[in-house]
Amino acid sequence: MSKLSSVNQSLYLLKKTLLSLVRIIAFRPNIFKRIPKLNDDSEVYLLANGPSLKSTLEEYGDYLKSKKTGVVNFFALSPEFGTLKPKYYFLLDQAFFKKNRDQKLNENIEQLKSALTEVNWPLVLILPKACKALFSIKNNNITCQFINTNIFQSFSTIQLTAYKRNWGMPQAQNVLVFALYALVYLRVPKIYLLGANHNWHEGMRISEDNKLVLFDPHFYKEDKSETEKIMDVSIAGFFESLSKAFRGYEVLRIFAKKHHSDIINLDTTSYIDSFPKETLVTKENTEHGINR
């Protein structure tokens, strides 16, 4: 890197540091108080809602029932929610905390809340701290924890210190970055990732009127109107958003290593390349002492 580039990079990071500090002052988080480690979980299986999760649950559903799991977004609307009984549930999107123009989306959110009120096992619901007053569930089996989701960008050492204390977190373009950060922050030593296909670019097209159309299926049953969406963004903006999402995983990899957590991707078809990959069959065989 040239001297001029190095100076420009330093100035850029200094600007980001100042902006991050302004966010801390504006949102006034309690910077001296950490969320305590909730338990002694040695590992958590984090389930994203990508289409590959369907075959995984069909083949390894019984295996996952014996594990501590975490789920995201509308997983509660699937039949597997009641059988898997996840320990952690993560919500990030602002749509969950307000009335939306999309009536079908509002209906799904109401169904989600209804499913959560029926939970009859211990569940930790993890939400953005800024939405603390906007989402409530009346169920004594559910414990709510709140994470400060302000973006914190700075020089590496300062940034990792801020993440460790939850003064802020990496930019979360999707709920999975938020969930992984929360689990690392809560000091879970081993985090196994499933259903994170992240292959949105394979299902995109440009319509005749120059609109970006995205085919984005999940593992659970959906209407066609929910799986194919007209995006209110240009293709350049869409790829910029993807870049931020994947960059978030790179930052998380560094944070997890410093925080003594391992994130392992058990979906070999996933486009996330920031974490080492294993297969669930290899993991299961290893646990049972089977060599193949």
Side-chain angles (χ1 to χ4, degrees):
M1 183 182 290
S2 68
K3 185 175 181 179
L4 180 59
S5 297
S6 179
V7 170
N8 287 337
Q9 177 69 5
S10 296
L11 289 174
Y12 171 80
L13 290 174
L14 180 59
K15 178 182 177 181
K16 289 295 184 181
T17 301
L18 293 174
L19 286 173
S20 297
L21 291 174
V22 167
R23 291 191 191 103
I24 289 178
I25 295 171
F27 286 92
R28 299 187 298 276
N30 188 340
I31 64 175
F32 301 106
K33 182 179 180 181
R34 284 198 62 187
I35 294 176
K37 186 175 180 180
L38 297 180
N39 48 55
D40 294 320
D41 288 343
S42 61
E43 60 181 26
V44 170
Y45 288 72
L46 180 59
L47 279 55
N49 292 334
S52 64
L53 187 63
K54 182 177 181 180
S55 59
T56 297
L57 291 174
E58 289 173 352
E59 189 170 358
Y60 296 99
D62 289 338
Y63 173 78
L64 290 171
K65 286 178 189 177
S66 66
K67 303 296 182 181
K68 299 290 173 46
T69 56
V71 298
V72 302
N73 290 349
F74 289 111
F75 188 95
L77 301 189
S78 69
E80 290 81 2
F81 181 59
T83 57
L84 193 62
K85 292 181 169 51
K87 181 167 186 178
Y88 299 99
Y89 208 118
F90 302 90
L91 297 176
L92 173 67
D93 196 307
Q94 291 298 304
F96 291 108
F97 310 105
K98 65 178 183 179
K99 282 292 183 182
N100 302 280
R101 293 181 180 178
D102 186 336
Q103 188 56 36
K104 179 62 176 178
L105 177 59
N106 289 330
E107 291 173 5
N108 287 341
I109 292 172
E110 288 305 312
Q111 290 177 32
L112 166 65
K113 291 181 177 179
S114 178
L116 290 176
T117 61
E118 300 297 322
V119 165
N120 58 5
W121 64 90
L123 177 69
V124 181
L125 181 61
I126 299 183
L127 307 169
K129 187 176 291 184
C131 300
K132 188 173 183 178
L134 303 176
F135 195 95
S136 61
I137 295 294
K138 294 182 179 179
N139 188 331
N140 292 332
N141 292 307
I142 294 179
T143 301
C144 290
Q145 292 288 349
F146 300 94
I147 297 289
N148 176 22
T149 54
N150 292 329
I151 300 169
F152 196 104
Q153 294 174 301
S154 182
F155 299 91
S156 179
T157 301
I158 298 174
Q159 187 169 269
L160 293 174
T161 299
Y163 297 161
K164 185 177 180 179
R165 290 164 172 75
N166 193 222
W167 298 346
M169 61 171 289
Q171 183 163 355
Q173 288 297 110
N174 58 56
V175 68
L176 204 54
V177 172
F178 171 68
L180 286 170
Y181 168 78
L183 290 174
V184 173
Y185 174 66
L186 294 172
R187 288 165 278 175
V188 176
K190 292 277 187 182
I191 304 163
Y192 294 98
L193 185 57
L194 289 162
N197 297 82
H198 279 41
N199 59 343
W200 301 288
H201 60 287
E202 293 181 355
M204 58 188 293
R205 63 182 176 86
I206 300 296
S207 66
E208 292 180 356
D209 57 350
N210 254 359
K211 296 291 186 180
L212 174 61
V213 182
L214 185 67
F215 181 67
D216 183 24
H218 298 87
F219 82 95
Y220 42 76
K221 186 177 180 180
E222 296 175 298
D223 296 332
K224 184 178 179 181
S225 62
E226 295 177 281
T227 57
E228 188 168 80
K229 305 173 184 177
I230 299 176
M231 306 297 290
D232 188 23
V233 64
S234 68
I235 194 167
F238 179 72
F239 276 109
E240 183 179 4
S241 179
L242 286 186
S243 176
K244 290 178 180 178
F246 284 101
R247 189 69 67 191
Y249 297 123
E250 293 183 351
V251 175
L252 277 171
R253 179 189 64 217
I254 298 170
F255 174 56
K257 183 178 180 180
K258 292 288 186 181
H259 216 45
H260 308 294
S261 290
D262 292 324
I263 302 174
I264 299 166
N265 192 349
L266 294 178
D267 189 340
T268 57
T269 65
S270 170
Y271 276 90
I272 300 175
D273 62 353
S274 299
F275 313 122
K277 288 184 178 180
E278 295 180 9
T279 64
L280 196 50
V281 62
T282 301
K283 176 123 183 14
E284 185 182 31
N285 288 340
T286 300
E287 288 185 11
H288 293 90
I290 300 173
N291 295 314
R292 292 184 178 177

